[in-house]
Amino acid sequence: MPVTTVLDRPAPAPLELTLHPVPDPGAPVLLVVPAMGMRASFYTPLLGALADAGVAAAVTELRGHQARPAPPPGRRHDFGYDDLVGDLAAAVEAVHTERPGAPVFVVGHSLGGHLATAYAARHPDRVDGVALVGSGSVDWRVWGPAHLLRTQAVVAAAMLIGHFPGDRVGFAGREARGQMRDWGRWARTGRLAFGTPRVDHTPSVAAVHLPVLGIGFERDGLAPPASVDALLGMFGAATVTRHRLDVPAARPHVGWAREPAALDLVVPLLTGWARDAAGA
């Protein structure tokens, strides 16, 4: 049975971690960090498939997209990458409490991969590896000039309105302007820099020595090959394993996490990599 834990983390509403345990207390734990605008419940099929494969699986909520009632992102309730990485840090500690001694791997999907990357730069001693699934760099130099215009238009809209209305324009959900400002800064400068005072995490990412897994998908317009490679390339000192899959899903960027035929391809890569890394 899944176990739900409330994170020890200040937020406008409680953040939850849901863990699907397995009988082996020493089995690896794969902690999923959602994509922008996604609720944790979206990943229930993935967590079930991972647990069926013999590894413990958990998912943490993104601030602004909790299951419990919470103030929506807006002028009175703003946050950025620094807050989200702090939330992830609390989730990792909750996993260590629930599964003491088990190796822990963070699995970041899209925006979740950005947060996992920054978390690994800050706390490389608290996890055993990082998997980035459908996640890529947003640096405009990888995408082209039109991407720079799009990303900065998103930031401008968020600053003007007080939040980014992604739920109305078909990209992500209702997102905090601080989050989109950090996202847009990375797109503009090519540096993963955020916080107050602002810290450039790019050199720390390059120094991470953890195992890193990258899984990209054919026909994924939100994480095309060049952007996936650019994000993985930031891990200059890590042992990086790359896979690119053609998953049977109408929308590969999100369908990989729910559609059975796609899970049949992704789950063995995640579990095999985690077991190998845990035994290294």
Side-chain angles (χ1 to χ4, degrees), residues 76-125:
R76 297 182 61 185
H77 299 285
D78 191 29
F79 51 86
Y81 273 38
D82 194 53
D83 301 289
L84 297 172
V85 174
D87 295 342
L88 174 54
V92 171
E93 295 312 309
V95 170
H96 281 300
T97 299
E98 292 290 332
R99 307 289 287 186
V104 177
F105 299 88
V106 179
V107 181
H109 176 206
S110 198
L111 170 70
H114 302 171
L115 306 179
T117 296
Y119 174 82
R122 286 185 175 180
H123 306 285
D125 59 330

mmCIF file of all heavy atoms in Angstrom, residues 76-125:
data_model
loop_
_atom_site.group_PDB
_atom_site.id
_atom_site.type_symbol
_atom_site.label_atom_id
_atom_site.label_comp_id
_atom_site.label_asym_id
_atom_site.label_seq_id
_atom_site.Cartn_x
_atom_site.Cartn_y
_atom_site.Cartn_z
ATOM 1 N N ARG A 76 0.586 37.335 -4.586
ATOM 2 C CA ARG A 76 0.700 37.136 -3.140
ATOM 3 C C ARG A 76 1.353 35.798 -2.797
ATOM 4 O O ARG A 76 1.703 35.569 -1.635
ATOM 5 C CB ARG A 76 -0.676 37.218 -2.483
ATOM 6 C CG ARG A 76 -1.340 38.576 -2.628
ATOM 7 C CD ARG A 76 -2.671 38.620 -1.925
ATOM 8 N NE ARG A 76 -2.527 38.369 -0.492
ATOM 9 C CZ ARG A 76 -3.566 38.253 0.344
ATOM 10 N NH1 ARG A 76 -4.807 38.345 -0.115
ATOM 11 N NH2 ARG A 76 -3.357 38.029 1.627
ATOM 12 N N HIS A 77 1.481 34.920 -3.778
ATOM 13 C CA HIS A 77 2.056 33.593 -3.533
ATOM 14 C C HIS A 77 3.006 33.272 -4.682
ATOM 15 O O HIS A 77 2.633 32.646 -5.663
ATOM 16 C CB HIS A 77 0.958 32.526 -3.416
ATOM 17 C CG HIS A 77 0.012 32.774 -2.277
ATOM 18 N ND1 HIS A 77 0.364 32.535 -0.969
ATOM 19 C CD2 HIS A 77 -1.249 33.261 -2.267
ATOM 20 C CE1 HIS A 77 -0.656 32.860 -0.184
ATOM 21 N NE2 HIS A 77 -1.636 33.295 -0.937
ATOM 22 N N ASP A 78 4.237 33.739 -4.529
ATOM 23 C CA ASP A 78 5.237 33.566 -5.575
ATOM 24 C C ASP A 78 6.357 32.669 -5.066
ATOM 25 O O ASP A 78 6.586 32.552 -3.858
ATOM 26 C CB ASP A 78 5.810 34.933 -5.977
ATOM 27 C CG ASP A 78 6.655 34.874 -7.232
ATOM 28 O OD1 ASP A 78 6.392 34.010 -8.085
ATOM 29 O OD2 ASP A 78 7.594 35.687 -7.356
ATOM 30 N N PHE A 79 7.057 32.028 -5.974
ATOM 31 C CA PHE A 79 8.194 31.185 -5.625
ATOM 32 C C PHE A 79 9.014 30.949 -6.881
ATOM 33 O O PHE A 79 8.561 31.201 -8.001
ATOM 34 C CB PHE A 79 7.744 29.848 -5.013
ATOM 35 C CG PHE A 79 6.716 29.114 -5.844
ATOM 36 C CD1 PHE A 79 7.090 28.279 -6.879
ATOM 37 C CD2 PHE A 79 5.359 29.264 -5.574
ATOM 38 C CE1 PHE A 79 6.146 27.594 -7.645
ATOM 39 C CE2 PHE A 79 4.408 28.594 -6.335
ATOM 40 C CZ PHE A 79 4.797 27.757 -7.367
ATOM 41 N N GLY A 80 10.248 30.463 -6.668
ATOM 42 C CA GLY A 80 11.132 30.218 -7.793
ATOM 43 C C GLY A 80 11.859 28.897 -7.662
ATOM 44 O O GLY A 80 11.520 28.061 -6.814
ATOM 45 N N TYR A 81 12.869 28.716 -8.497
ATOM 46 C CA TYR A 81 13.630 27.472 -8.483
ATOM 47 C C TYR A 81 14.228 27.193 -7.096
ATOM 48 O O TYR A 81 14.300 26.035 -6.665
ATOM 49 C CB TYR A 81 14.757 27.535 -9.521
ATOM 50 C CG TYR A 81 14.391 27.095 -10.920
ATOM 51 C CD1 TYR A 81 13.155 27.401 -11.474
ATOM 52 C CD2 TYR A 81 15.298 26.387 -11.700
ATOM 53 C CE1 TYR A 81 12.831 27.010 -12.759
ATOM 54 C CE2 TYR A 81 14.988 25.990 -12.996
ATOM 55 C CZ TYR A 81 13.751 26.298 -13.518
ATOM 56 O OH TYR A 81 13.437 25.903 -14.798
ATOM 57 N N ASP A 82 14.646 28.240 -6.392
ATOM 58 C CA ASP A 82 15.261 28.038 -5.088
ATOM 59 C C ASP A 82 14.291 27.366 -4.123
ATOM 60 O O ASP A 82 14.657 26.444 -3.391
ATOM 61 C CB ASP A 82 15.727 29.381 -4.528
ATOM 62 C CG ASP A 82 16.671 29.233 -3.341
ATOM 63 O OD1 ASP A 82 17.671 28.510 -3.483
ATOM 64 O OD2 ASP A 82 16.400 29.827 -2.288
ATOM 65 N N ASP A 83 13.033 27.800 -4.124
ATOM 66 C CA ASP A 83 12.014 27.178 -3.273
ATOM 67 C C ASP A 83 11.743 25.741 -3.699
ATOM 68 O O ASP A 83 11.605 24.844 -2.858
ATOM 69 C CB ASP A 83 10.717 27.993 -3.345
ATOM 70 C CG ASP A 83 10.897 29.424 -2.913
ATOM 71 O OD1 ASP A 83 11.098 29.665 -1.703
ATOM 72 O OD2 ASP A 83 10.866 30.304 -3.792
ATOM 73 N N LEU A 84 11.667 25.516 -4.992
ATOM 74 C CA LEU A 84 11.351 24.177 -5.491
ATOM 75 C C LEU A 84 12.473 23.186 -5.195
ATOM 76 O O LEU A 84 12.216 22.021 -4.868
ATOM 77 C CB LEU A 84 11.074 24.239 -6.994
ATOM 78 C CG LEU A 84 9.852 25.077 -7.397
ATOM 79 C CD1 LEU A 84 9.792 25.237 -8.912
ATOM 80 C CD2 LEU A 84 8.567 24.457 -6.871
ATOM 81 N N VAL A 85 13.721 23.630 -5.296
ATOM 82 C CA VAL A 85 14.847 22.756 -4.955
ATOM 83 C C VAL A 85 14.849 22.483 -3.455
ATOM 84 O O VAL A 85 15.167 21.370 -3.014
ATOM 85 C CB VAL A 85 16.179 23.367 -5.429
ATOM 86 C CG1 VAL A 85 17.364 22.530 -4.951
ATOM 87 C CG2 VAL A 85 16.202 23.472 -6.957
ATOM 88 N N GLY A 86 14.477 23.466 -2.656
ATOM 89 C CA GLY A 86 14.342 23.239 -1.220
ATOM 90 C C GLY A 86 13.263 22.229 -0.905
ATOM 91 O O GLY A 86 13.412 21.382 -0.009
ATOM 92 N N ASP A 87 12.149 22.283 -1.645
ATOM 93 C CA ASP A 87 11.092 21.287 -1.468
ATOM 94 C C ASP A 87 11.612 19.892 -1.807
ATOM 95 O O ASP A 87 11.311 18.909 -1.107
ATOM 96 C CB ASP A 87 9.903 21.615 -2.363
ATOM 97 C CG ASP A 87 9.211 22.921 -1.997
ATOM 98 O OD1 ASP A 87 9.408 23.411 -0.870
ATOM 99 O OD2 ASP A 87 8.481 23.454 -2.862
ATOM 100 N N LEU A 88 12.380 19.779 -2.879
ATOM 101 C CA LEU A 88 12.951 18.491 -3.259
ATOM 102 C C LEU A 88 13.900 17.984 -2.190
ATOM 103 O O LEU A 88 13.926 16.780 -1.881
ATOM 104 C CB LEU A 88 13.656 18.613 -4.611
ATOM 105 C CG LEU A 88 14.427 17.387 -5.096
ATOM 106 C CD1 LEU A 88 13.549 16.133 -5.105
ATOM 107 C CD2 LEU A 88 15.024 17.644 -6.478
ATOM 108 N N ALA A 89 14.687 18.872 -1.599
ATOM 109 C CA ALA A 89 15.594 18.462 -0.529
ATOM 110 C C ALA A 89 14.817 17.855 0.639
ATOM 111 O O ALA A 89 15.226 16.835 1.210
ATOM 112 C CB ALA A 89 16.417 19.654 -0.053
ATOM 113 N N ALA A 90 13.677 18.454 0.989
ATOM 114 C CA ALA A 90 12.849 17.910 2.058
ATOM 115 C C ALA A 90 12.292 16.548 1.670
ATOM 116 O O ALA A 90 12.179 15.639 2.516
ATOM 117 C CB ALA A 90 11.713 18.878 2.384
ATOM 118 N N ALA A 91 11.944 16.366 0.385
ATOM 119 C CA ALA A 91 11.431 15.083 -0.071
ATOM 120 C C ALA A 91 12.497 13.991 0.022
ATOM 121 O O ALA A 91 12.212 12.855 0.431
ATOM 122 C CB ALA A 91 10.923 15.202 -1.506
ATOM 123 N N VAL A 92 13.725 14.323 -0.365
ATOM 124 C CA VAL A 92 14.814 13.339 -0.270
ATOM 125 C C VAL A 92 15.023 12.925 1.184
ATOM 126 O O VAL A 92 15.190 11.729 1.491
ATOM 127 C CB VAL A 92 16.110 13.906 -0.873
ATOM 128 C CG1 VAL A 92 17.291 12.977 -0.582
ATOM 129 C CG2 VAL A 92 15.962 14.106 -2.381
ATOM 130 N N GLU A 93 14.986 13.873 2.096
ATOM 131 C CA GLU A 93 15.174 13.538 3.508
ATOM 132 C C GLU A 93 14.031 12.671 4.011
ATOM 133 O O GLU A 93 14.244 11.769 4.835
ATOM 134 C CB GLU A 93 15.310 14.810 4.337
ATOM 135 C CG GLU A 93 16.559 15.626 4.008
ATOM 136 C CD GLU A 93 17.819 14.770 3.960
ATOM 137 O OE1 GLU A 93 18.071 14.007 4.913
ATOM 138 O OE2 GLU A 93 18.559 14.852 2.952
ATOM 139 N N ALA A 94 12.815 12.918 3.533
ATOM 140 C CA ALA A 94 11.682 12.080 3.924
ATOM 141 C C ALA A 94 11.866 10.648 3.429
ATOM 142 O O ALA A 94 11.531 9.682 4.132
ATOM 143 C CB ALA A 94 10.382 12.665 3.374
ATOM 144 N N VAL A 95 12.407 10.496 2.222
ATOM 145 C CA VAL A 95 12.678 9.143 1.707
ATOM 146 C C VAL A 95 13.724 8.455 2.569
ATOM 147 O O VAL A 95 13.579 7.270 2.906
ATOM 148 C CB VAL A 95 13.132 9.215 0.237
ATOM 149 C CG1 VAL A 95 13.649 7.856 -0.228
ATOM 150 C CG2 VAL A 95 11.993 9.673 -0.656
ATOM 151 N N HIS A 96 14.767 9.156 2.948
ATOM 152 C CA HIS A 96 15.790 8.562 3.815
ATOM 153 C C HIS A 96 15.193 8.125 5.153
ATOM 154 O O HIS A 96 15.582 7.084 5.710
ATOM 155 C CB HIS A 96 16.922 9.561 4.056
ATOM 156 C CG HIS A 96 17.894 9.677 2.926
ATOM 157 N ND1 HIS A 96 18.642 8.601 2.467
ATOM 158 C CD2 HIS A 96 18.255 10.737 2.160
ATOM 159 C CE1 HIS A 96 19.413 9.004 1.476
ATOM 160 N NE2 HIS A 96 19.196 10.286 1.267
ATOM 161 N N THR A 97 14.239 8.879 5.649
ATOM 162 C CA THR A 97 13.587 8.513 6.909
ATOM 163 C C THR A 97 12.727 7.267 6.738
ATOM 164 O O THR A 97 12.726 6.372 7.605
ATOM 165 C CB THR A 97 12.713 9.676 7.415
ATOM 166 O OG1 THR A 97 13.547 10.813 7.655
ATOM 167 C CG2 THR A 97 11.991 9.308 8.699
ATOM 168 N N GLU A 98 11.991 7.193 5.626
ATOM 169 C CA GLU A 98 11.097 6.067 5.386
ATOM 170 C C GLU A 98 11.849 4.789 5.010
ATOM 171 O O GLU A 98 11.409 3.684 5.364
ATOM 172 C CB GLU A 98 10.107 6.412 4.265
ATOM 173 C CG GLU A 98 9.095 7.485 4.624
ATOM 174 C CD GLU A 98 8.076 6.997 5.635
ATOM 175 O OE1 GLU A 98 7.802 5.783 5.675
ATOM 176 O OE2 GLU A 98 7.551 7.834 6.397
ATOM 177 N N ARG A 99 12.976 4.941 4.307
ATOM 178 C CA ARG A 99 13.744 3.774 3.827
ATOM 179 C C ARG A 99 15.210 3.927 4.222
ATOM 180 O O ARG A 99 16.091 4.085 3.379
ATOM 181 C CB ARG A 99 13.618 3.643 2.310
ATOM 182 C CG ARG A 99 12.198 3.622 1.774
ATOM 183 C CD ARG A 99 11.452 2.359 2.097
ATOM 184 N NE ARG A 99 11.934 1.229 1.306
ATOM 185 C CZ ARG A 99 11.368 0.016 1.319
ATOM 186 N NH1 ARG A 99 10.320 -0.221 2.078
ATOM 187 N NH2 ARG A 99 11.863 -0.959 0.596
ATOM 188 N N PRO A 100 15.514 3.905 5.515
ATOM 189 C CA PRO A 100 16.890 4.145 5.966
ATOM 190 C C PRO A 100 17.861 3.113 5.391
ATOM 191 O O PRO A 100 17.597 1.908 5.404
ATOM 192 C CB PRO A 100 16.783 4.030 7.489
ATOM 193 C CG PRO A 100 15.526 3.266 7.746
ATOM 194 C CD PRO A 100 14.599 3.600 6.629
ATOM 195 N N GLY A 101 18.954 3.599 4.860
ATOM 196 C CA GLY A 101 19.978 2.717 4.311
ATOM 197 C C GLY A 101 19.791 2.352 2.860
ATOM 198 O O GLY A 101 20.712 1.805 2.235
ATOM 199 N N ALA A 102 18.622 2.632 2.295
ATOM 200 C CA ALA A 102 18.385 2.287 0.889
ATOM 201 C C ALA A 102 19.008 3.348 -0.024
ATOM 202 O O ALA A 102 18.971 4.540 0.292
ATOM 203 C CB ALA A 102 16.891 2.184 0.613
ATOM 204 N N PRO A 103 19.584 2.945 -1.148
ATOM 205 C CA PRO A 103 20.088 3.944 -2.110
ATOM 206 C C PRO A 103 18.930 4.727 -2.714
ATOM 207 O O PRO A 103 17.867 4.170 -3.010
ATOM 208 C CB PRO A 103 20.805 3.100 -3.165
ATOM 209 C CG PRO A 103 20.243 1.723 -3.021
ATOM 210 C CD PRO A 103 19.828 1.560 -1.597
ATOM 211 N N VAL A 104 19.121 6.020 -2.890
ATOM 212 C CA VAL A 104 18.061 6.910 -3.372
ATOM 213 C C VAL A 104 18.502 7.562 -4.676
ATOM 214 O O VAL A 104 19.602 8.125 -4.766
ATOM 215 C CB VAL A 104 17.733 7.996 -2.325
ATOM 216 C CG1 VAL A 104 16.667 8.953 -2.870
ATOM 217 C CG2 VAL A 104 17.276 7.360 -1.014
ATOM 218 N N PHE A 105 17.627 7.483 -5.675
ATOM 219 C CA PHE A 105 17.882 8.077 -6.985
ATOM 220 C C PHE A 105 16.741 9.037 -7.310
ATOM 221 O O PHE A 105 15.572 8.699 -7.150
ATOM 222 C CB PHE A 105 17.975 6.997 -8.067
ATOM 223 C CG PHE A 105 19.092 6.020 -7.839
ATOM 224 C CD1 PHE A 105 18.895 4.888 -7.058
ATOM 225 C CD2 PHE A 105 20.346 6.239 -8.382
ATOM 226 C CE1 PHE A 105 19.919 3.985 -6.823
ATOM 227 C CE2 PHE A 105 21.384 5.347 -8.156
ATOM 228 C CZ PHE A 105 21.172 4.220 -7.378
ATOM 229 N N VAL A 106 17.085 10.226 -7.762
ATOM 230 C CA VAL A 106 16.088 11.214 -8.135
ATOM 231 C C VAL A 106 15.822 11.105 -9.630
ATOM 232 O O VAL A 106 16.753 11.104 -10.444
ATOM 233 C CB VAL A 106 16.548 12.634 -7.780
ATOM 234 C CG1 VAL A 106 15.503 13.656 -8.211
ATOM 235 C CG2 VAL A 106 16.801 12.754 -6.283
ATOM 236 N N VAL A 107 14.544 10.997 -9.993
ATOM 237 C CA VAL A 107 14.124 10.877 -11.392
ATOM 238 C C VAL A 107 13.362 12.151 -11.750
ATOM 239 O O VAL A 107 12.202 12.327 -11.349
ATOM 240 C CB VAL A 107 13.239 9.645 -11.613
ATOM 241 C CG1 VAL A 107 12.829 9.536 -13.081
ATOM 242 C CG2 VAL A 107 13.956 8.372 -11.158
ATOM 243 N N GLY A 108 13.983 13.050 -12.500
ATOM 244 C CA GLY A 108 13.364 14.318 -12.836
ATOM 245 C C GLY A 108 12.777 14.307 -14.232
ATOM 246 O O GLY A 108 13.461 13.979 -15.205
ATOM 247 N N HIS A 109 11.503 14.666 -14.317
ATOM 248 C CA HIS A 109 10.812 14.749 -15.608
ATOM 249 C C HIS A 109 10.690 16.213 -16.020
ATOM 250 O O HIS A 109 10.075 17.005 -15.300
ATOM 251 C CB HIS A 109 9.427 14.100 -15.487
ATOM 252 C CG HIS A 109 8.594 14.209 -16.733
ATOM 253 N ND1 HIS A 109 7.218 14.182 -16.712
ATOM 254 C CD2 HIS A 109 8.944 14.334 -18.040
ATOM 255 C CE1 HIS A 109 6.748 14.288 -17.934
ATOM 256 N NE2 HIS A 109 7.778 14.382 -18.763
ATOM 257 N N SER A 110 11.266 16.578 -17.156
ATOM 258 C CA SER A 110 11.167 17.929 -17.710
ATOM 259 C C SER A 110 11.639 18.953 -16.683
ATOM 260 O O SER A 110 12.799 18.932 -16.287
ATOM 261 C CB SER A 110 9.730 18.182 -18.179
ATOM 262 O OG SER A 110 9.673 19.265 -19.076
ATOM 263 N N LEU A 111 10.769 19.852 -16.191
ATOM 264 C CA LEU A 111 11.179 20.792 -15.140
ATOM 265 C C LEU A 111 11.755 20.047 -13.941
ATOM 266 O O LEU A 111 12.717 20.509 -13.316
ATOM 267 C CB LEU A 111 9.991 21.639 -14.690
ATOM 268 C CG LEU A 111 10.220 22.495 -13.431
ATOM 269 C CD1 LEU A 111 11.194 23.627 -13.722
ATOM 270 C CD2 LEU A 111 8.908 23.020 -12.882
ATOM 271 N N GLY A 112 11.186 18.883 -13.637
ATOM 272 C CA GLY A 112 11.721 18.090 -12.532
ATOM 273 C C GLY A 112 13.178 17.723 -12.739
ATOM 274 O O GLY A 112 13.940 17.597 -11.772
ATOM 275 N N GLY A 113 13.594 17.584 -13.997
ATOM 276 C CA GLY A 113 15.001 17.334 -14.278
ATOM 277 C C GLY A 113 15.868 18.535 -13.978
ATOM 278 O O GLY A 113 17.017 18.385 -13.541
ATOM 279 N N HIS A 114 15.330 19.735 -14.213
ATOM 280 C CA HIS A 114 16.076 20.949 -13.852
ATOM 281 C C HIS A 114 16.293 20.987 -12.340
ATOM 282 O O HIS A 114 17.395 21.294 -11.868
ATOM 283 C CB HIS A 114 15.306 22.192 -14.277
ATOM 284 C CG HIS A 114 15.003 22.273 -15.738
ATOM 285 N ND1 HIS A 114 14.167 23.221 -16.279
ATOM 286 C CD2 HIS A 114 15.429 21.514 -16.787
ATOM 287 C CE1 HIS A 114 14.095 23.058 -17.586
ATOM 288 N NE2 HIS A 114 14.839 22.018 -17.918
ATOM 289 N N LEU A 115 15.233 20.684 -11.591
ATOM 290 C CA LEU A 115 15.324 20.718 -10.132
ATOM 291 C C LEU A 115 16.254 19.622 -9.625
ATOM 292 O O LEU A 115 17.047 19.851 -8.700
ATOM 293 C CB LEU A 115 13.932 20.563 -9.515
ATOM 294 C CG LEU A 115 12.880 21.562 -10.003
ATOM 295 C CD1 LEU A 115 11.544 21.292 -9.327
ATOM 296 C CD2 LEU A 115 13.335 22.998 -9.789
ATOM 297 N N ALA A 116 16.181 18.446 -10.236
ATOM 298 C CA ALA A 116 17.071 17.353 -9.835
ATOM 299 C C ALA A 116 18.526 17.706 -10.113
ATOM 300 O O ALA A 116 19.420 17.385 -9.321
ATOM 301 C CB ALA A 116 16.684 16.074 -10.576
ATOM 302 N N THR A 117 18.777 18.377 -11.236
ATOM 303 C CA THR A 117 20.130 18.798 -11.581
ATOM 304 C C THR A 117 20.671 19.780 -10.542
ATOM 305 O O THR A 117 21.802 19.636 -10.047
ATOM 306 C CB THR A 117 20.138 19.439 -12.976
ATOM 307 O OG1 THR A 117 19.773 18.459 -13.953
ATOM 308 C CG2 THR A 117 21.503 20.014 -13.324
ATOM 309 N N ALA A 118 19.868 20.783 -10.207
ATOM 310 C CA ALA A 118 20.303 21.765 -9.219
ATOM 311 C C ALA A 118 20.454 21.129 -7.840
ATOM 312 O O ALA A 118 21.384 21.464 -7.090
ATOM 313 C CB ALA A 118 19.304 22.919 -9.160
ATOM 314 N N TYR A 119 19.559 20.200 -7.496
ATOM 315 C CA TYR A 119 19.662 19.528 -6.200
ATOM 316 C C TYR A 119 20.969 18.730 -6.118
ATOM 317 O O TYR A 119 21.667 18.759 -5.097
ATOM 318 C CB TYR A 119 18.466 18.601 -5.973
ATOM 319 C CG TYR A 119 18.616 17.789 -4.710
ATOM 320 C CD1 TYR A 119 18.285 18.334 -3.477
ATOM 321 C CD2 TYR A 119 19.148 16.505 -4.749
ATOM 322 C CE1 TYR A 119 18.468 17.615 -2.310
ATOM 323 C CE2 TYR A 119 19.335 15.777 -3.589
ATOM 324 C CZ TYR A 119 18.987 16.341 -2.372
ATOM 325 O OH TYR A 119 19.189 15.628 -1.218
ATOM 326 N N ALA A 120 21.292 18.000 -7.170
ATOM 327 C CA ALA A 120 22.531 17.218 -7.172
ATOM 328 C C ALA A 120 23.751 18.117 -7.027
ATOM 329 O O ALA A 120 24.742 17.736 -6.393
ATOM 330 C CB ALA A 120 22.628 16.398 -8.454
ATOM 331 N N ALA A 121 23.684 19.315 -7.607
ATOM 332 C CA ALA A 121 24.799 20.254 -7.469
ATOM 333 C C ALA A 121 24.952 20.712 -6.030
ATOM 334 O O ALA A 121 26.070 20.926 -5.555
ATOM 335 C CB ALA A 121 24.573 21.456 -8.390
ATOM 336 N N ARG A 122 23.850 20.866 -5.334
ATOM 337 C CA ARG A 122 23.881 21.339 -3.948
ATOM 338 C C ARG A 122 24.154 20.221 -2.942
ATOM 339 O O ARG A 122 24.803 20.441 -1.921
ATOM 340 C CB ARG A 122 22.540 21.992 -3.592
ATOM 341 C CG ARG A 122 22.300 23.350 -4.188
ATOM 342 C CD ARG A 122 21.004 23.921 -3.642
ATOM 343 N NE ARG A 122 20.777 25.285 -4.089
ATOM 344 C CZ ARG A 122 19.710 25.996 -3.735
ATOM 345 N NH1 ARG A 122 18.785 25.463 -2.945
ATOM 346 N NH2 ARG A 122 19.567 27.236 -4.171
ATOM 347 N N HIS A 123 23.603 19.041 -3.215
ATOM 348 C CA HIS A 123 23.641 17.960 -2.217
ATOM 349 C C HIS A 123 24.086 16.632 -2.855
ATOM 350 O O HIS A 123 23.354 15.640 -2.795
ATOM 351 C CB HIS A 123 22.259 17.774 -1.579
ATOM 352 C CG HIS A 123 21.676 19.021 -1.005
ATOM 353 N ND1 HIS A 123 22.106 19.571 0.179
ATOM 354 C CD2 HIS A 123 20.678 19.829 -1.460
ATOM 355 C CE1 HIS A 123 21.397 20.655 0.450
ATOM 356 N NE2 HIS A 123 20.538 20.843 -0.536
ATOM 357 N N PRO A 124 25.250 16.578 -3.466
ATOM 358 C CA PRO A 124 25.656 15.344 -4.157
ATOM 359 C C PRO A 124 25.853 14.165 -3.213
ATOM 360 O O PRO A 124 25.867 13.018 -3.676
ATOM 361 C CB PRO A 124 26.975 15.746 -4.824
ATOM 362 C CG PRO A 124 27.503 16.875 -3.996
ATOM 363 C CD PRO A 124 26.284 17.624 -3.547
ATOM 364 N N ASP A 125 25.969 14.425 -1.911
ATOM 365 C CA ASP A 125 26.182 13.347 -0.952
ATOM 366 C C ASP A 125 24.886 12.753 -0.424
ATOM 367 O O ASP A 125 24.920 11.779 0.326
ATOM 368 C CB ASP A 125 27.009 13.864 0.234
ATOM 369 C CG ASP A 125 26.337 15.028 0.946
ATOM 370 O OD1 ASP A 125 25.605 15.798 0.269
ATOM 371 O OD2 ASP A 125 26.543 15.187 2.160
#
